[in-house]
Amino acid sequence: MKNLTNFRKIGLWFLVLSVCSAFFTCKKGGTDPQKQAANATSHICGQVNGVQAIYWDLMNGIPRTDIPGGLPTIKNIGGTYSHPQFPLLSFIYPAGYTPQTDGTSGAVGVNLIRNDQKAIWRYTSIFYNGNASASQVLNSEVTQLRAFLGSTGAIATVCSQQSTLPRAAGISSNIASAFINFDGFTAVLSVSITTETGLGAEQINITVTAAPTNEFSNEILSTFLPIDYELLYTGNGELDSDGDGVPDSQDAAPFDPTKH
C-alpha cells in the first residue's frame, strides 16, 4: 500500500477529520453513521442531504470534515486488488464484490462489481489520442452503466456540475459530474479530461458508483468511500491515486508518483 510519506502528507487533514468526527458523534449521541449525518447538506446541491450530500461534495472536490464514523475503512474484507500492469492502483475491497480490470484500450482501471450485479465502484484513467469532452464521456458512462444494470426507464438528474479549469500554462481540465436516479438505482459519476496545448491527446479520469437507491448511502460508507480513501484524497477532496500531492484530474500520470 502507500508508504509512510504519503500518509504524512495528509496526516494533519486526517487529524482534523478525526477530531471533527468525534465531536460530531458525541454531539449527536448516536452510533448509526447514517443518523449522525442526517442533517448534512451539500454545499453545491440543495436536493441532496445526509451521507449522500457529503459524498457528492467530495466527488466534486469540496472538502468535508463531517464524515460519520471517522476515517472510512473496509469492515468486512473480501480481498485485495492490484492492477497487473500498474500496482500503484491497489486497494482492499469488501466481501461480496469481485474486481475486473478495465480492458479498454489505453486504460488503467478497474470495475469492482457486487456479486449480485446490482452495485459497482468503477475507477479508470485513459490516455486518449483524440478530442472528447467531459460531458460526452459522462453520457457514454451513463449509457454503459444503465446497460450493465439492465435499466430501460427514465433518468432523473438530481444534481450536475460542469466546468473548465485552468491548471497551468497551456493545461486545462474539462469536468462533468452527475447525481442521477433511474429504475430504483442511484449513481454518481464524475469525469475529468486534462489537455495540454499541442499534445494532441487527453488524460481522461472516470469515477462511477451505483447501487440500489435504498442501499446507496450504506454502500457509500461501507464500500465507495473506504476505497477512495485507500487511494487517498488530496486536501481539497480530489482523488490522488499515486499519493504525489497532485489530484488525478491534473496529473498526466495518475499512477506514477514520479510524474505529474
Side-chain angles (χ1 to χ4, degrees):
M1 301 304 291
K2 307 301 183 294
N3 61 34
L4 183 59
T5 300
N6 294 332
F7 284 105
R8 285 174 176 166
K9 292 166 67 176
I10 55 172
L12 179 58
W13 193 89
F14 280 168
L15 177 60
V16 172
L17 170 65
S18 299
V19 171
C20 290
S21 294
F23 173 77
F24 189 72
T25 300
C26 293
K27 184 176 180 180
K28 298 299 290 186
T31 57
D32 184 336
Q34 293 193 47
K35 289 182 179 179
Q36 293 170 22
N39 294 327
T41 56
S42 170
H43 297 318
I44 55 174
C45 182
Q47 291 89 337
V48 182
N49 52 39
V51 170
Q52 297 178 20
I54 295 171
Y55 184 61
W56 172 247
D57 284 359
L58 284 171
M59 289 283 280
N60 284 278
I62 297 173
R64 299 289 303 228
T65 59
D66 54 349
I67 299 173
L71 190 65
T73 55
I74 300 295
K75 300 296 192 299
N76 187 15
I77 296 174
T80 299
Y81 172 80
S82 182
H83 192 281
Q85 280 77 49
F86 294 87
L88 279 172
L89 178 55
S90 63
F91 53 85
I92 296 169
Y93 59 87
Y97 276 82
T98 301
Q100 297 179 359
T101 299
D102 188 350
T104 304
S105 176
V108 177
V110 58
N111 300 317
L112 184 68
I113 300 171
R114 203 168 74 182
N115 293 344
D116 64 359
Q117 305 286 298
K118 292 184 177 180
I120 184 171
W121 177 93
R122 166 171 164 78
Y123 176 69
T124 194
S125 181
I126 303 171
F127 187 77
Y128 175 62
N129 286 302
N131 183 23
S133 71
S135 59
Q136 289 173 328
V137 176
L138 182 71
N139 289 338
S140 175
E141 289 292 319
V142 170
T143 298
Q144 293 180 60
L145 177 63
R146 279 162 54 82
F148 166 72
L149 295 172
S151 167
T152 58
I155 298 173
T157 300
V158 181
C159 305
S160 63
Q161 294 283 315
Q162 293 191 44
S163 62
T164 299
L165 301 176
R167 301 300 189 182
I171 302 175
S172 63
S173 290
N174 179 224
I175 301 168
S177 60
F179 188 117
I180 60 176
N181 293 322
F182 55 90
D183 288 338
F185 291 94
T186 295
V188 171
L189 306 93
S190 178
V191 174
S192 67
I193 300 181
T194 301
T195 58
E196 182 175 355
T197 302
L199 185 60
E202 302 175 328
Q203 186 70 42
I204 304 174
N205 295 300
I206 300 166
T207 304
V208 177
T209 57
T213 297
N214 62 354
E215 301 173 21
F216 193 61
S217 292
N218 181 65
E219 290 295 340
I220 289 172
L221 293 173
S222 64
T223 304
F224 306 151
L225 271 182
I227 295 175
D228 289 345
Y229 271 82
E230 285 184 70
L231 294 175
L232 302 184
Y233 273 113
T234 63
N236 67 2
E238 289 195 68
L239 201 61
D240 177 19
S241 298
D242 57 15
D244 62 0
V246 180
D248 289 356
S249 63
Q250 303 176 37
D251 199 334
F255 303 108
D256 186 345
T258 68
K259 299 178 182 178
H260 308 314

